[in-house]
Amino acid sequence: MKTIAITGASGFVGTSLKKYFSALGYKIISISRDVLNDNKKLEETLNQTDIVINLAGANIINRWSESYKKLLYSSRIETTSKIVNAINSIQNRPKLLISTSAVGIYDNKTTYDENGSYSNDFLSNLCQDWEKEAKKAKNESTKVSIFRFGIVMGKDGGALQKMITPFKLGLGGTIGDGKQAFSYIHINDLLNAYKFVIENEFEDTFNLTAPIPTTNKGLTLALGKTLKRPTILPVPQFVLNIIFSEGARVLTDGQSAIPKKLLELGFKFKFNTIEETIEDLCK
């Protein structure tokens, strides 16, 4: 029986991964904050682990005060550093570390595969530092893969759960003009992508996004059509700026990313379009 250790295991993606891989017969270890803050316990845990999945990080959709930006950084880079240092200190190293990143690493001027150019804003720099830290675990015994998430869509949590109520009430609409890119992935495709990479022991940087990105307007229309509700009330960008400060950029400056490397390796997405994704999750 293979063992998977997960940081950030209590979140939406972490909870889904635990249930998914447990059903496949894997032993799952949730790495708590107490373990992360105890080098000896962390090393003991990783010493009996085949795969490490690093999901830890404070919620990116929030008001970005200077103190919160420090939390966003420390919860990702410092946690990853602890994992990497522990891996590099033990004899029975895990075979694979899959660390999280985001498509926010790219600028928002065009559609990108994994070789797209990076932006120079806070989110992109955060992702770049996050990935660099994770790659320090790579050696002849341990492979490192990076998963750059789009917006994860699921029934039981994540972004869709937060946005669906106003749409059900007929109060949904685009953010601003709705032209900003929206890269997303169905939770089932995300789980299957983890399985695909783990079982084949692939080492690379992967965009975890549906093959056909959309826009905020495309998302809005898909929700309206599936829920049979009007979508005529746009959310002005300045309102989001008041609520989230600089953090509003997560919602207003989308990136358009495609999962070129997964597709080239033969991974098959079940949900390729936003219409297929929303129809499945809202039925």
Side-chain angles (χ1 to χ4, degrees), residues 76-96:
R76 286 162 171 78
I77 283 70
E78 291 179 13
T79 297
T80 303
S81 179
K82 291 176 181 178
I83 293 291
V84 169
N85 289 339
I87 289 174
N88 290 336
S89 300
I90 58 179
Q91 184 174 0
N92 298 319
R93 298 168 59 100
K95 293 182 178 180
L96 177 63

Side-chain angles (χ1 to χ4, degrees), residues 1-21:
M1 179 188 296
K2 288 189 175 181
T3 300
I4 300 177
I6 306 176
T7 68
S10 62
F12 169 53
V13 173
T15 301
S16 300
L17 283 168
K18 287 190 295 183
K19 182 178 180 181
Y20 178 79
F21 279 106

